[in-house]
Amino acid sequence: MRILGIETSCDETGVALYDSQQGLLGHRLYSQVALHSEYGGVVPELASRDHVRKLLPLVAELLSECGLEKQDIDAVAYTKGPGLVGALMVGACTGRALAFSLGVPAIGVHHMEGHLLAPMLEENPPAFPFVALLVSGGHTQLVRVDRIGQYRLLGESLDDAAGEAFDKAAKMMDLDYPGGPLIAKLAEQGEEGRFVFPRPMVDRPGLDFSFSGLKTYTLNTVTQHAQSNGLPDDQTCADIACAFQAAVVDTLVIKCRRALEQEKLNTLVIAGGVSANTLLRRRLESALAKIQSKVFYARHEFCTDNGAMIAYAGCQRLLADQSDGLSVKVTPRWPLDTLEAC
Ligand code: KG4
Ligand code: ZN
């Protein structure tokens, strides 16, 4: 079965073709980062309009790159939620209409299930059961995964998501959006140990997170060291980025280890934009090796939003005989643990 995957939940237009026998055939991504950068964050209406402009040309490019025609598509999977309602509607309406015109089934996919399953696209995929750390711009969750669709929430952020904290810290130092990769890059020049930021909620039992206190701590540090232009000098910014990143990463590592021990599992999957963070990957690898556990993640381009993860997740559900009717529905708020098992 050959599935077209469509991702439009936020500011990336992603499309991919996945074949249940041959694997990923190809994928294309258009990022709206430049469009939103002057606003310091995603402007929902601009995002929807840009998806309208870019989606069908991207599908056409993808098909021609793969040497295929529209008629070669056996099913369509699109992101149904969570996400920005207008942006989701573009992908859902287009995907549903395309499937109807081709006379093939369509399925709405949960965006975070897409992220969670993205490491399955790699050569050495993780085996069930495992603990997943979902860390994106909108979510920070620890989930027990027994099989596709069988998810139990173990803990989550009580306030900001990890990616959101990275983005806000970046904004404090006048860095562009999205700030995660820029903070990570700046941190490379930072001096470790000049600042030590708090590791929120690690001394309390449980698996929930909170990043708002760390955000305030970062803002106070930036303000204390600000010069006449309102910003600390370049080296101080790098030192702050380094301390901030270390605090977020340490917090995530401690909770992941705790979750594996609690669930008596030895496989961790990290997914979502923040799972692209090199320090997080390195620290998890060494911490988990000590408890005979292993961490799995997707290649960089499939950590952030993309069409391949939606095509893959949709394929698994279609193979389990699930599909959606003709009405176009999106679900901007959608808890992961309400999904049906495959
Ligand atoms: O999964 P994603 O592309 O979109 C959402 O579903 O939210 O995640 C985007 C988030 C942004 O907050 C971005 O700053 C963060 O992932 N991010 C990173 C890195 N790359 C992306 N955060 C830390 N380090 C990175 N290398
Ligand atoms: Zn995402």
Side-chain angles (χ1 to χ4, degrees), residues 40 158 180 211 225 272 315 320:
L158 305 176
F211 292 108
H225 292 83
C315 178

Side-chain angles (χ1 to χ4, degrees), residues 318-335:
L318 288 155
L319 289 175
D321 274 339
Q322 297 177 13
S323 64
D324 285 347
L326 283 179
S327 61
V328 180
K329 281 198 197 123
V330 295
T331 316
R333 285 177 191 277
W334 191 4

Side-chain angles (χ1 to χ4, degrees), residues 7 9 111-112 115 136 272-273 303-305 309:
E7 157 61 32
S9 68
H111 179 78
M112 296 314 291
H115 275 305
S136 68
C303 288
T304 43
D305 294 348
M309 66 184 196

Side-chain angles (χ1 to χ4, degrees), residues 100-331:
F100 179 70
S101 70
L102 295 169
V104 300
I107 186 152
V109 170
H110 193 292
H111 179 78
M112 296 314 291
E113 177 170 79
H115 275 305
L116 194 156
L117 298 177
M120 299 290 184
L121 289 161
E122 301 305 324
E123 231 167 65
N124 177 21
F128 299 112
F130 54 75
V131 169
L133 171 72
L134 303 176
V135 266
S136 68
H139 292 79
T140 300
Q141 296 185 324
L142 275 163
V143 182
R144 184 190 165 103
V145 180
D146 283 291
R147 59 190 170 115
I148 294 179
Q150 197 168 324
Y151 307 128
R152 186 156 55 81
L153 187 66
L154 303 173
E156 64 184 332
S157 178
L158 305 176
D159 39 59
D160 291 355
E164 191 182 358
F166 266 100
D167 296 337
K168 287 179 177 168
K171 211 168 178 180
M172 291 171 201
M173 293 186 278
D174 207 25
L175 299 174
D176 281 345
Y177 175 88
L182 300 177
I183 290 265
K185 192 152 196 310
L186 187 58
E188 286 171 18
Q189 262 79 58
E191 183 195 319
E192 242 175 275
R194 173 169 169 209
F195 298 109
V196 179
F197 284 15
R199 274 64 175 148
M201 292 181 70
V202 292
D203 47 4
R204 270 191 250 169
L207 295 169
D208 286 334
F209 304 88
S210 165
F211 292 108
S212 71
L214 179 60
K215 191 179 65 185
T216 309
Y217 196 95
T218 309
L219 182 61
N220 288 342
T221 312
V222 170
T223 313
Q224 272 162 22
H225 292 83
Q227 309 172 113
S228 54
N229 66 354
L231 288 172
D233 62 66
D234 290 352
Q235 185 57 48
T236 303
C237 281
D239 296 342
I240 292 173
C242 182
F244 171 84
Q245 176 177 244
V248 174
V249 165
D250 261 10
T251 308
L252 295 173
V253 171
I254 290 168
K255 295 287 164 91
C256 285
R257 211 181 135 149
R258 197 181 283 176
L260 287 171
E261 282 165 350
Q262 176 189 302
E263 296 302 308
K264 299 188 173 46
L265 293 175
N266 58 11
T267 305
L268 178 78
V269 163
I270 55 170
V274 184
S275 69
N277 187 280
T278 310
L279 185 72
L280 178 65
R281 292 172 171 205
R282 259 201 283 125
R283 291 269 165 93
L284 275 172
E285 265 149 8
S286 62
L288 297 199
K290 290 184 194 137
I291 54 165
Q292 288 74 51
S293 300
K294 232 184 134 192
V295 57
F296 292 79
Y297 39 76
R299 72 195 85 162
H300 263 80
E301 59 198 310
F302 294 161
C303 288
T304 43
D305 294 348
N306 65 86
M309 66 184 196
I310 302 304
Y312 178 82
C315 178
Q316 305 315 307
R317 292 197 166 271
L318 288 155
L319 289 175
D321 274 339
Q322 297 177 13
S323 64
D324 285 347
L326 283 179
S327 61
V328 180
K329 281 198 197 123
V330 295
T331 316

